[in-house]
Amino acid sequence: KLFYLIKKKTFYKNIKIHAVNSNFIHFKNKKVFHDSFTKISKPKNKNFLNDIKKIVKNKNINILFPGSDEEAIKLSLNKKKINTFIPSPEIKKLKFIYNKFNTLEKLKKEKLIDIKFDKVSSMINLKNKIESYNKSNTDFVIKPIFSRGGRNVIVVKTSQKTNVLYFNKKREVKINKNYFNNNQNKFLLQFKKKFPVILMERMFEPNLDIDILSWKGKLIKYVIRQRIGFQASKGSIILKPNNSIKKLLKKINKLFNLTGIYDCDFMFTKQKSPILIELNPRISGSLYASISAGAHLVDDLISLKINRSSLVKDFKLKNKKKIYSKNILN
């Protein structure tokens, strides 16, 4: 969907998309909209960088977009070895981005958030910290510091009437607090090999995905998306601009000196203040929804890279717009 819309919407008619993946099966028996596909090693494999360097050279790649956190981290750490433009975080900022606890800690230090959260490194410590949250009557969330796709997330709520509710293909579970406290061992077992984890006060919906275009620490454009289905599996609702979120995004861009297209997750405090939950060091898998709505972020990044910033236009939206995943290729 993303490849299709980049090509359909672009005013750079000579764009070519060279796709890579460690698994070829994703592209079998499906419509394809890229110009070539190469199977490569996984980021943890020692051959990954050599695979990328060969493709950059052989295909004359001008911009290299990481599609996963692992790719973004590996490529960010090795930018000097790859002869092309990689819109990913600079090394000294990377540790504050891919580590969810470091992100929150940095934001709190800069007084950009004011919420309760803890880094927990053992099961005993986790149970003790949970007890302190219980004593203060605070609903809470437990999640790994290093994870993606909403995996291994536990939300504990006093107000929930049903004991247990599963979401996102059972990756996320919401639990009544009394029921959780009576069955702690059952639910905490999943974290046994995933420490350190974050224990934090519960934030409130809506859960928003925001695509941001940044250039040398400056916010250029942003698109707010509300998910239709978990992980936006059914599409996104593109929302109107929000001044509170915009102000916070400007400060975040400056703080992390961002350049490129990034995906971040926002929720809200009980007082309805926006809170950055995650800043992902890569594009979102649902970036297609923003492009479909008229925010040509890939074109804009190209324009900035080739010093044609005058071509970057403001994204204006009078009313929210629903972008359904199933309609994109039809």
Side-chain angles (χ1 to χ4, degrees), residues 93-215:
K93 302 293 184 180
L94 188 62
K95 67 179 181 179
F96 296 114
I97 294 176
Y98 77 86
N99 182 310
K100 294 179 177 64
F101 176 79
N102 285 351
T103 302
L104 293 174
E105 195 173 47
K106 184 72 171 175
L107 293 173
K108 191 164 189 175
K109 183 179 179 181
E110 298 295 327
K111 298 182 179 180
L112 297 180
I113 61 172
D114 183 20
I115 59 174
K116 181 177 175 60
F117 61 93
D118 295 280
K119 180 180 180 181
V120 186
S121 299
S122 71
M123 190 64 74
I124 293 175
N125 189 213
L126 178 57
K127 290 182 178 181
N128 289 337
K129 288 288 185 181
I130 287 172
E131 183 59 28
S132 72
Y133 277 68
N134 284 332
K135 285 180 179 179
S136 63
N137 199 30
T138 304
D139 289 353
F140 54 86
V141 175
I142 311 168
K143 61 182 180 179
I145 284 178
F146 303 101
S147 69
R148 61 177 181 171
R151 291 169 173 82
N152 301 108
V153 176
I154 287 179
V155 181
V156 179
K157 301 166 61 177
T158 306
S159 61
Q160 183 167 306
K161 295 181 180 180
T162 306
N163 285 338
V164 182
L165 294 172
Y166 289 98
F167 300 92
N168 192 19
K169 300 179 181 179
K170 293 192 173 183
R171 293 172 179 173
E172 179 178 330
V173 58
K174 296 182 180 181
I175 311 169
N176 169 274
K177 183 177 278 190
N178 287 332
Y179 187 78
F180 171 82
N181 287 328
N182 291 329
N183 298 273
Q184 273 195 25
N185 290 336
K186 172 184 175 182
F187 292 108
L188 295 181
L189 185 64
Q190 64 180 290
F191 298 111
K192 188 175 180 179
K193 295 183 179 180
K194 298 189 181 297
F195 288 104
V197 300
I198 296 175
L199 176 65
M200 63 182 293
E201 67 174 277
R202 177 172 73 93
M203 296 293 102
F204 293 82
E205 295 182 338
N207 190 322
L208 303 178
D209 290 324
I210 303 182
D211 295 316
I212 57 175
L213 172 64
S214 315
W215 192 254

Side-chain angles (χ1 to χ4, degrees), residues 38-80:
T38 307
K39 186 176 184 297
I40 63 168
S41 305
K42 293 182 177 182
K44 291 183 179 180
N45 191 294
K46 64 180 182 180
N47 295 319
F48 174 77
L49 285 178
N50 283 333
D51 290 347
I52 293 295
K53 285 193 285 187
K54 286 179 183 178
I55 294 166
V56 167
K57 182 179 179 181
N58 294 338
K59 302 292 185 180
N60 192 28
I61 301 299
N62 301 112
I63 301 180
L64 182 60
F65 286 102
S68 72
D69 291 0
E70 294 87 352
E71 290 173 353
I73 293 164
K74 194 68 174 282
L75 293 171
S76 294
L77 294 172
N78 293 276
K79 278 186 177 182
K80 293 181 180 180

